[in-house]
Amino acid sequence: MLVAALSTGHKVGLAVVAAIFISFALASSFLAPRRWPDFPGRNGLSVFIIVSFVLFGGMLTAVEVFGVEEEEATASAEGSTSQHTIRVTESEYRIALPALKTLPAGEYTFVVRNAGHVEHNLVVGGKTTPLIAPGQTATMKVTLGTGTVTLFCSVDSHRALGMHTKITVG
């Protein structure tokens, strides 16, 4: 589900690195032992281990680099500007935000998409979106001051069922 939120370029980057890692694993498991029966043997073991760790490290690095959502880069690049946009995805009993660190105080536009099957809304800093039908989006501007802000869905018992999260401002 997380992969669906990534840009096409990031998906391609992750796929390429994964393909290299998987190709190495398959080749070292099936092809190399056919050609060299004692693979990796005594002489090739250290090279095999080094290549395995390098590829594993490359895969972890790719996940860190390509796994970053576009909104994160935008939010950190905006820094001290007066207008910020935060994309929120709601589904049954879950609110998903981009990975946010401490936000500067200021005006924020929340773009809320309902990816669930029932109506939801979003409450932030005392303001509430209208009910959002499944597959629809709502936008809400909120001025956030310093402190911890709770975001939640106020429909029925959705908040009690886990539709809440917190962000730190200031």
Side-chain angles (χ1 to χ4, degrees), residues 19 33 73 80-81 89 96 100 103 105 107 112 116 145 154 156 161:
S80 62
T81 63
T89 303
L100 301 170
L103 302 173
E107 186 176 277
V112 186
S154 66
D156 298 330
L161 292 169

Side-chain angles (χ1 to χ4, degrees), residues 88-148:
V88 180
T89 303
E90 292 184 313
S91 57
E92 275 60 65
Y93 321 120
R94 183 167 176 257
I95 296 176
L97 296 169
L100 301 170
K101 296 187 174 142
T102 301
L103 302 173
E107 186 176 277
Y108 288 84
T109 301
F110 287 85
V111 179
V112 186
R113 183 174 68 88
N114 182 352
H117 300 290
V118 298
E119 290 184 325
H120 296 293
N121 68 2
L122 184 69
V123 179
V124 181
K127 288 188 133 186
T128 306
T129 64
L131 287 177
I132 307 166
Q136 299 300 308
T137 302
T139 302
M140 173 176 61
K141 289 188 179 188
V142 179
T143 301
L144 299 177
T146 303
T148 300

Side-chain angles (χ1 to χ4, degrees), residues 62-79:
V63 168
E64 283 293 319
V65 171
F66 294 125
V68 175
E69 294 178 5
E70 295 296 326
E71 289 82 17
E72 273 187 71
T74 304
S76 63
E78 288 175 352

